[in-house]
Amino acid sequence: MATKSRWPRRIAIGAGALVLLIAGLFVAFHVPDIPVEDLRAKYGSPASRYVEIAPGTVIHLRDEGPRDGFPIVLLHGSNASLHTWEPWVARLTPKYRVISFDFPAHGLSGPVPSRDYSQASYVAVTEKIVDRLGLTRFALAGNSMGGGVAWHYAAAHPDKVAGLVLVDSVGEPEPGESTPPIGFRIAGMPVIRDLLASVLPRSMIDQSLHQSVSVQSIVTPAAVDRYWELLRYPGNRSATMDRFAGYKRQDDTALLKSVTMPTQIIWGREDKLIPVSSADWFSKHLPNARVTILDQVGHIPMEEAPDRSLAPVLGLLEQVTPAR
């Protein structure tokens, strides 16, 4: 009986130690938010617009290039921002109208009142941006998470999407032997997720970027700072935890058969986040797709190899741009 009586005390001591550990981590690694005006001053551009598409939902948007140019809409990946497309934008804008924007809780777009950061909600955001800009026919490209949004939008609006570009896109229900990223699993742990919403070591961002790309030279101090600082937009870290917690794998394979417009699939052969085998999976299910695999490139081809990754896209745009 005496031995058993020690257990409540041991449990209390263990719980107290855990609380102290969490408190110590909070003190050691707590990183404050950055004021919105400071972030806009640093990471906005003369082309930046802040468009309210619904009450409390303000989207950072750039609409660049000639207004009479054929439009292409670019959708970024998870925890990225429209900045990831800048190498393509610089090459496309002499001829094409290029629209890029930050999804809610990304970049310079803040959290939303609904706290809905699902794929369906991002498709709805894309619909509102397209409608706001009056686009009736355009090409649509997406990387990673943005690729999943892009092909779901294309399935719902085949009359508007003339051509589709998927860059290392999500979609395959079980790509290789992958498991949900640790961030998605941590989001289901209430105490830990709340801690991570307040701490964000720059070293974590640095390591994550190095693991995401094959061309290590693009992981410059400025690039790490951009990812790190934009995640510190007020409310975006908590919103990211909401998004991770709501993550569910779904099998929409059958939906791909309805995506019949010309599609260009681009993949980095050395992608460690979504294996290159997913490119074959997409090509088997998309009726009108071509595949380009880029050697010595990882998960972000637009930044790692802008000219090589854009070359097949230019071919697609020539194919789908209406004759004048």
Side-chain angles (χ1 to χ4, degrees), residues 47 97 125 168 224 228 248 313:
R97 180 181 179 185
V125 167
D168 296 66
V224 175
W228 184 49
K248 292 181 181 178
V313 178

Side-chain angles (χ1 to χ4, degrees), residues 3-322:
T3 302
K4 290 182 179 179
S5 67
R6 295 194 188 106
W7 282 109
R9 182 182 178 189
R10 290 177 178 175
I11 291 172
I13 292 173
L18 179 60
V19 170
L20 288 173
L21 175 61
I22 291 173
L25 288 172
F26 181 85
V27 171
F29 296 107
H30 174 68
V31 176
D33 288 336
I34 299 174
V36 172
E37 57 271 21
D38 292 351
L39 289 171
R40 287 184 177 182
K42 185 171 182 178
Y43 294 110
S45 81
S48 291
R49 296 165 52 191
Y50 302 94
V51 180
E52 187 171 36
I53 61 171
T57 300
V58 177
I59 299 298
H60 174 220
L61 165 72
R62 294 182 185 174
D63 184 356
E64 303 173 86
R67 286 298 174 270
D68 61 347
F70 186 68
I72 178 169
V73 178
L74 307 174
L75 308 180
H76 66 76
S78 177
N79 290 342
S81 65
L82 58 73
H83 300 84
T84 195
W85 296 108
E86 286 180 340
W88 277 21
V89 172
R91 291 160 172 79
L92 287 167
T93 47
K95 182 176 181 180
Y96 297 97
R97 180 181 179 185
V98 184
I99 295 98
S100 58
F101 62 89
D102 292 330
F103 284 118
H106 289 79
L108 294 174
S109 296
V112 296
S114 67
R115 297 179 63 178
D116 182 359
Y117 306 102
S118 63
Q119 179 175 263
S121 75
Y122 284 177
V123 171
V125 167
T126 305
E127 290 171 341
K128 290 179 180 178
I129 293 295
V130 166
D131 291 345
R132 175 67 67 92
L133 296 177
L135 304 180
T136 57
R137 192 76 170 157
F138 56 93
L140 181 62
N143 169 237
S144 193
M145 176 191 77
V149 176
W151 68 262
H152 279 84
Y153 179 95
H157 302 280
D159 57 318
K160 292 187 176 182
V161 180
L164 179 65
V165 180
L166 300 179
V167 186
D168 296 66
S169 173
V170 301
E172 186 176 8
E174 296 289 340
E177 297 180 356
S178 66
T179 57
I182 189 170
F184 292 93
R185 287 174 274 148
I186 288 175
M189 306 174 187
V191 175
I192 303 300
R193 63 160 281 171
D194 291 342
L195 174 66
L196 285 184
S198 298
V199 304
L200 187 66
R202 185 180 183 280
S203 59
M204 182 185 297
I205 303 302
D206 184 84
Q207 181 181 12
S208 177
L209 276 177
H210 278 292
Q211 291 174 343
S212 298
V213 303
S214 178
V215 182
Q216 296 294 308
S217 60
I218 72 165
V219 187
T220 62
V224 175
D225 282 344
R226 187 183 76 232
Y227 277 88
W228 184 49
E229 292 176 355
L230 289 175
L231 277 169
R232 293 161 59 194
Y233 187 107
N236 274 5
R237 280 178 282 178
S238 292
T240 298
M241 289 294 104
D242 287 339
R243 179 165 57 87
F244 286 175
Y247 169 76
K248 292 181 181 178
R249 276 189 172 153
Q250 56 191 49
D251 188 348
D252 291 336
T253 304
L255 188 62
L256 282 172
K257 296 179 182 178
S258 66
V259 181
T260 59
M261 69 283 297
T263 300
Q264 177 65 58
I265 299 167
I266 300 169
W267 225 276
R269 190 179 298 278
E270 297 181 11
D271 189 336
K272 296 177 182 177
L273 299 183
I274 306 178
V276 67
S277 58
S278 282
D280 291 332
W281 179 85
F282 271 111
S283 68
K284 289 176 183 177
H285 293 94
L286 286 165
N288 192 10
R290 295 173 294 185
V291 178
T292 298
I293 306 298
L294 301 173
D295 291 330
Q296 299 179 320
V297 172
H299 188 61
I300 319 177
M302 315 85 66
E303 296 188 54
E304 297 180 65
D307 289 313
R308 282 198 290 149
S309 61
L310 186 59
V313 178
L314 294 175
L316 177 73
L317 289 173
E318 289 292 336
Q319 177 185 351
V320 302
T321 299

